[in-house]
Amino acid sequence: AAGHDNCVYDSYENQLHRTFSKVWEAASMKLEVQNAGQGGGCGDSHKNQVWCIQQNVSPFVDIIHYSWTYFEAGRDDGKVERESLVRWAQLMPRQPPVHALNVGGVQNDKLKPGDVARCYGGEGDLFDGYEDYGHNAFCMRDSIVNMWKNKSKSCFQGGFVGDFLHTTTRYGELETNEERKKSLGVVMRNWHPGPFGFQTVSDACSIRMYTGWLFGVPRI
């Protein structure tokens, strides 16, 4: 998943853990977020890593996140691997849903903002087909653009600070070192999200899972 080449503390997995773990602790449970990020230097990619989820993380995960945007960018592949992962996950003990994170740009402008497959081109059939198994996707850039429709997309240029309303992350507000504070407000480092971009991802995942939890727990 994303964050392999960035500061571990600022990756969305660790931000997600800090944001969401307190909810679980209040219910006397423990949330564990693992990152099996691969840099790709050894030749690994989404082509073969989808089969190693049990070895890279655990056979007993509850939710799987998939993020290979960089490797899929500009190429017409990835759909087969994502579908394979969804199907493979159903053979695991807890049948975890697969959530895909895409930090790239919109590939299909014909779809309405907020459409789950907007950043995955015309793959609505894949998400619709596996909706009952919890398959979902989050388009990071589309979410930010959708919030600030009248603003430029310049915030996705490498090193850009803030989203036209905030200038740093929530934990960046507590920083006394101005250089670090500004660094924490970067949306995209390069092709990788910066701390601020990852905060957007973390918040979206937290809200989605928390909503699902509130809906599901009373029905258990």
Side-chain angles (χ1 to χ4, degrees):
H4 183 73
D5 298 319
N6 287 277
C7 177
V8 174
Y9 187 81
D10 299 325
S11 67
Y12 91 83
E13 296 90 345
N14 281 281
Q15 291 200 50
L16 175 61
H17 183 267
R18 295 196 298 273
T19 301
F20 199 39
S21 61
K22 294 180 180 179
V23 177
W24 292 84
E25 291 170 3
S28 299
M29 294 184 286
K30 179 182 178 181
L31 173 68
E32 184 175 347
V33 182
Q34 296 179 320
N35 182 5
Q38 302 291 325
C42 58
D44 288 335
S45 73
H46 58 292
K47 293 290 187 181
N48 55 20
Q49 285 298 303
V50 295
W51 307 110
C52 304
I53 185 66
Q54 297 192 69
Q55 292 80 7
N56 286 341
V57 185
S58 166
F60 304 105
V61 292
D62 297 294
I63 299 175
I64 295 173
H65 282 195
Y66 170 102
S67 176
W68 285 95
T69 311
Y70 172 68
F71 285 81
E72 295 180 0
R75 294 179 291 191
D76 186 23
D77 64 9
K79 182 177 181 180
V80 171
E81 288 74 24
R82 286 193 298 278
E83 182 171 13
S84 296
L85 180 57
V86 173
R87 296 171 70 90
W88 183 251
Q90 290 303 302
L91 298 177
M92 296 170 66
R94 296 181 179 176
Q95 297 181 295
V98 175
H99 294 173
L101 165 64
N102 191 308
V103 301
V106 173
Q107 296 182 18
N108 191 340
D109 286 317
K110 294 181 180 180
L111 297 176
K112 296 180 180 179
D115 190 297
V116 72
R118 185 172 161 90
C119 56
Y120 280 112
E123 295 186 17
D125 57 332
L126 182 61
F127 295 101
D128 291 342
Y130 292 101
E131 182 180 12
D132 289 344
Y133 301 95
H135 190 36
N136 208 342
F138 178 63
C139 306
M140 187 195 78
R141 297 194 187 197
D142 192 36
S143 69
I144 295 176
V145 171
N146 194 34
M147 283 192 298
W148 311 113
K149 296 177 181 179
N150 60 332
K151 300 293 185 180
S152 167
K153 297 181 182 180
S154 60
C155 64
F156 301 126
Q157 297 175 2
F160 190 91
V161 175
D163 67 347
F164 309 108
L165 181 63
H166 310 90
T167 57
T168 190
T169 58
R170 286 188 297 276
Y171 61 99
E173 295 288 352
L174 305 176
E175 278 287 338
T176 56
N177 184 305
E178 289 299 321
E179 184 176 355
R180 169 67 172 159
K181 189 173 185 176
K182 181 178 180 181
S183 177
L184 291 175
V186 173
V187 178
M188 298 291 295
R189 291 288 188 206
N190 36 53
W191 56 86
H192 289 107
F196 196 95
F198 276 146
Q199 178 176 270
T200 304
V201 176
S202 169
D203 287 354
C205 292
S206 296
I207 292 172
R208 175 62 68 178
M209 288 188 287
Y210 183 61
T211 302
W213 191 29
L214 288 177
F215 179 82
V217 168
R219 291 165 173 77
I220 294 178

